[in-house]
């Protein structure tokens, strides 16, 4: 498995036979989209920091599929499937094998994705986040409700994983620098409840120093924190 950080919440996950692209809003280097791979493009919701029409530039390849949140403007024809939370998709390909996709909710717009392919379990949170804004920054926010809604969604994911006896290999989870001291709370809670093998911080707004804060906050826990310092960087390869 090879993971490349694109920008913000965008990542490419390259498996042996399938390539998964999440929330890409910038140009994707051609070498990341291997010929012969089945390619799945995911967009968690319509916000411009998560979805761009640029992803359709890669749709001429007949091996491309798009799985988009249903709040995104509908286009893309037969290659595109629009999803709501708590839906299940199954794709099977004689050459590239099965891909199972389960959607969960968000604490903003859209969905989060749990993808199973080639023996790997991959989670992309989209804007599923513990939006613990300071009262000074966002006085209109109900902080108790934000916490309750986030933890309720994590509980649903936990129940799914336990029921299906699955462990997340890599999770892409918001570590939003705008939240200040609360920036790492989402990832910390996610790790404590769902125990992913690896976690890649995202939604950092190019403020990569917050990743060091997460590493310190999770020191001693059984999880590998993937790090990035620039766009289009390979952050993991085995």
């Amino acid at each position: 498995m090879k993971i490349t950080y694109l920008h913000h919440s965008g990542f490419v996950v390259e498996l042996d036979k399938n390539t998964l692209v999440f929330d890409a809003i910038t140009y994707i280097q051609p070498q990341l989209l291997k010929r012969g791979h089945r390619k799945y493009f995911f967009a968690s919701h319509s916000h411009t920091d998560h979805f761009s029409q640029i992803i359709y530039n890669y749709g001429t390849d007949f091996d491309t599929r798009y799985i988009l949140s249903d709040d995104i403007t509908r286009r893309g024809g037969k290659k595109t499937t629009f999803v709501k939370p708590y839906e299940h998709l199954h794709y099977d390909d004689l050459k590239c094998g099965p891909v199972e996709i389960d959607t969960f909710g968000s604490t903003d717009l859209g969905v989060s994705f749990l993808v199973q392919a080639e023996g790997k379990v991959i989670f992309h949170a989209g804007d599923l986040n513990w939006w613990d804004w300071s009262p000074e920054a966002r006085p209109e926010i109900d902080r108790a409700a934000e916490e309750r809604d986030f933890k309720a969604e994590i509980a649903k994911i936990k129940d799914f994983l336990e029921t299906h006896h699955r462990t997340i290999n890599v999770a892409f989870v918001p570590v939003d620098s705008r939240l200040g001291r609360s920036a790492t709370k989402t990832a910390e809670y996610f790790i404590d409840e769902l125990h992913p093998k690896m976690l890649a911080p995202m939604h950092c707004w190019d403020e990569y120093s917050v990743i060091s804060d997460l590493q310190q906050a999770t020191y001693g826990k059984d999880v590998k924190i993937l790090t990035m310092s620039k766009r289009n960087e390979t952050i993991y390869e085995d």
Side-chain angles (χ1 to χ4, degrees), residues 4-12 20-28 33 40-45 47-56 58 66 68 124 232:
T4 301
Y5 166 68
L6 298 175
H7 169 52
H8 195 55
S9 296
F11 295 86
V12 176
L20 316 176
V21 183
F22 295 95
D23 284 11
I25 60 172
T26 53
Y27 172 74
I28 302 172
L33 301 174
Y40 295 86
F41 281 79
F42 300 84
S44 62
H45 61 290
H47 288 166
T48 56
D49 61 326
H50 290 262
F51 171 72
S52 170
Q53 300 284 348
I54 196 173
I55 62 174
Y56 289 114
Y58 310 100
Y66 297 94
L68 311 182
H124 190 282
N232 300 311

Side-chain angles (χ1 to χ4, degrees), residues 103-120:
T103 60
F104 291 90
S106 173
T107 45
D108 201 329
L109 278 180
V111 300
S112 47
F113 294 105
L114 185 76
V115 183
Q116 301 177 69
E118 300 185 45
K120 303 294 186 183

Side-chain angles (χ1 to χ4, degrees), residues 131-200:
W131 296 105
D132 189 31
W133 294 97
S134 70
E136 294 77 18
R138 296 285 181 91
E140 76 281 7
I141 294 294
D142 185 337
R143 299 175 70 202
E146 293 291 341
E147 177 179 356
R148 181 180 65 248
D149 292 348
F150 171 72
K151 290 183 175 180
E153 199 61 40
I154 294 298
K156 293 174 185 177
I157 300 167
K158 183 176 183 177
D159 180 67
F160 179 93
L161 293 171
E162 291 178 347
T163 299
H164 293 83
H165 307 289
R166 296 288 185 265
T167 299
I168 295 173
N169 293 91
V170 60
F172 303 100
V173 176
V175 181
D176 195 318
S177 59
R178 300 173 301 171
L179 297 177
R181 293 183 179 179
S182 295
T184 65
K185 288 179 74 170
T186 294
E188 291 181 66
Y189 190 82
F190 192 100
I191 290 167
D192 289 342
E193 291 295 307
L194 303 182
H195 311 291
K197 294 180 180 179
M198 297 187 292
L199 185 142

